[in-house]
Amino acid sequence: MLKIINVVGARPNFMKIAPLVTAMKCRPAEFQPILIHTGQHYDAKMSDTFFSDLEIPEPDIDLGVGSASHAAQTAAIMKAFEPLVLQEKPDWVVVVGDVNSTLACALVCAKLGVKVAHIEAGLRSRDRSMPEEINRLLTDQIADLLFTPSRDADENLRAEGIPEKRIRFVGNIMIDSLLKYLPLANKSTIRKDLRLGNLDYAVLTLHRPSNVDQAQTFAGIVEALEEVGSLLPIVFPVHPRTLKMIANLGLTDRVSNAPGLCLTDPLGYLDFLELLSGSSLVLTDSGGIQEETTVLGIPCITLRENTERPITVEMGTNTIAGSDPTRIIKAARQALNKNPGTSSPQIPPLWDGHTAARILDALIEEQG
Ligand code: UD1
């Protein structure tokens, strides 16, 4: 029997841990899962909704750390997590993704000599100004088992000198959640609630500090949105960080008056998946949404200069457009003018809904 602490902290962690915890609960003779929420995200719309939508059991413990500077948040998670690991003495701690909670908990375990598995290992944007890139690099150096979503991630790890025996290509766990919940998501009334009817529409998400924390960059993106919004309505579920920055940077009037731009609160998993799956175009600076649009076959314009998920460009529907308004508008026009069926995006290998089962088998095998 393996006692496993599974860690979640922020919104993009929930759809990655859900299939894993569910799969562990289905194999009670082999796994004793414990779920720890660090509390990095705490608003109902950033956290609780995802637990109910994804049928994740209540966390066994919520560390309740909340928001702070990177150093203060990372330190608070470490201080709260260490006594818990000492008390529970797990066989493994599983961390997912690239948020501060991922690195903080991995670091605690590395120092205590407790084994850590990292899911979504090996992704690299090669942009160290991105806080997530630091979290990815360091977590992968100290984790014992690295579960990768794509072969390029394996290559990145090898290039950093990670021994082969620590690397396991298992596919993309987020897609387990997507494939499981898509039929249920399609029952959501979100499109009716937003009065979209049968209109073509785009979906926008924006929260990277590099896009929303500087007036000039954010204003340039708004300029592009004013243009794209004149072609089709854009639904924009606004992240709390972004909402704050719209006000701080004096962009409230422009954003409110941009033609076609429809702001909503952050959406739950099922509503958002339904919104994505019915859209004609997605504009985003998220990592996970680049992957979800690839599987759904929806054109995605990534508002960043790079991606740690190149497979979504090579095989999928993703175009990297940065934050320059001219490039964004051009990419949007191209995506909207493309005749359906002229390109044939593919679904990357092992993005098949069975990644959680492969991870569980690997953990058992590792135990010997
Ligand atoms: C974090 C992750 C990022 C991920 C994103 C998804 C890190 C370094 N960043 O960024 O990788 O893509 O989550 O959302 O871990 N806030 C609320 N309510 C909440 C949570 C946050 O209002 O429930 C506000 C706070 O003002 C906070 C700000 O959002 O200061 C930023 O939150 P934080 O967790 O620091 O980073 P995110 O930008 O959400």
Side-chain angles (χ1 to χ4, degrees):
M1 165 84 85
L2 291 179
K3 187 175 188 182
I4 303 203
I5 292 185
N6 300 283
V7 177
V8 288
R11 184 168 63 176
N13 294 159
F14 303 128
M15 55 295 282
K16 295 168 194 165
I17 220 73
L20 202 73
V21 172
T22 304
M24 285 182 191
K25 287 202 177 279
C26 289
R27 290 165 67 168
E30 296 165 288
F31 294 97
Q32 183 195 348
I34 298 173
L35 183 61
I36 305 296
H37 192 337
T38 65
Q40 179 175 344
H41 282 175
Y42 44 85
D43 281 352
K45 287 181 173 142
M46 299 296 284
S47 179
D48 302 5
T49 317
F50 289 81
F51 276 76
S52 52
D53 278 6
L54 291 155
E55 302 169 284
I56 309 173
E58 286 270 303
D60 295 287
I61 295 163
D62 190 332
L63 304 178
V65 297
S67 302
S69 70
H70 282 265
Q73 186 178 61
T74 308
I77 298 167
M78 290 181 71
K79 275 179 80 171
F81 189 59
E82 184 182 51
L84 213 119
V85 177
L86 287 170
Q87 182 193 314
E88 294 294 339
K89 300 186 179 51
D91 297 297
W92 285 93
V93 169
V94 175
V95 296
V96 297
D98 54 17
V99 302
N100 287 345
S101 302
T102 311
L103 173 61
C105 294
L107 190 49
V108 165
C109 295
K111 296 281 179 91
L112 291 176
V114 171
K115 282 186 288 185
V116 187
H118 181 209
I119 303 184
E120 202 184 84
L123 298 183
R124 298 289 181 267
S125 65
R126 299 190 167 73
D127 173 3
R128 291 198 182 191
S129 68
M130 214 180 157
E132 294 80 4
E133 183 73 353
I134 305 298
N135 294 342
R136 291 181 200 115
L137 280 160
L138 299 180
T139 302
D140 287 343
Q141 279 299 321
I142 57 182
D144 299 274
L145 210 45
L146 299 168
F147 291 116
T148 63
S150 48
R151 290 288 187 197
D152 56 283
D154 297 6
E155 289 303 322
N156 291 335
L157 294 171
R158 284 186 197 114
E160 287 167 19
I162 307 272
E164 201 65 36
K165 64 176 189 309
R166 283 168 53 199
I167 306 171
R168 299 292 156 81
F169 169 50
V170 290
N172 190 332
I173 194 145
M174 248 182 60
I175 306 307
D176 287 20
S177 287
L178 187 151
L179 296 178
K180 176 174 175 189
Y181 286 103
L182 190 55
L184 196 58
N186 290 150
K187 295 199 171 80
S188 147
T189 57
I190 188 70
R191 282 199 262 172
K192 199 165 133 232
D193 301 346
L194 295 173
R195 297 178 211 289
L196 289 165
N198 291 325
L199 288 177
D200 282 346
Y201 63 91
V203 176
L204 165 73
T205 81
L206 206 59
H207 74 283
R208 294 273 160 226
S210 58
N211 279 333
V212 303
D213 286 7
Q214 278 154 22
Q216 207 186 344
T217 311
F218 202 169
I221 293 174
V222 174
E223 189 186 324
L225 297 175
E226 287 164 342
E227 181 81 21
V228 178
S230 67
L231 304 173
L232 80 176
I234 306 173
V235 182
F236 181 17
V238 189
H239 186 287
R241 162 197 282 284
T242 310
L243 193 64
K244 216 178 346 179
M245 292 316 295
I246 290 172
N248 290 354
L249 300 175
L251 287 167
T252 307
D253 284 350
R254 257 184 91 186
V255 168
S256 316
N257 297 328
L261 195 58
C262 158
L263 273 60
T264 75
D265 284 341
L267 298 176
Y269 185 74
L270 296 173
D271 284 343
F272 189 71
L273 187 52
E274 164 63 359
L275 198 64
L276 268 193
S277 71
S279 68
S280 302
L281 178 68
V282 172
L283 301 122
T284 190
D285 61 6
S286 149
I289 294 172
Q290 298 169 46
E291 301 179 332
E292 289 168 334
T293 47
T294 275
V295 171
L296 293 168
I298 309 282
C300 175
I301 296 177
T302 293
L303 308 179
R304 288 172 41 193
E305 298 299 337
N306 48 57
T307 180
E308 59 290 330
R309 292 157 162 96
I311 199 163
T312 59
V313 177
E314 287 149 21
M315 292 188 73
T317 56
N318 193 13
T319 304
I320 304 297
S323 55
D324 170 61
T326 317
R327 263 177 87 194
I328 298 170
I329 295 164
K330 189 171 164 214
R333 285 189 187 281
Q334 269 172 358
L336 291 170
N337 290 337
K338 205 178 252 178
N339 290 328
T342 49
S343 66
S344 48
Q346 289 173 288
I347 294 176
L350 302 193
W351 292 23
D352 60 359
H354 302 295
T355 294
R358 284 189 283 271
I359 291 173
L360 263 52
D361 290 345
L363 286 169
I364 293 287
E365 189 190 303
E366 191 68 15
Q367 215 59 18

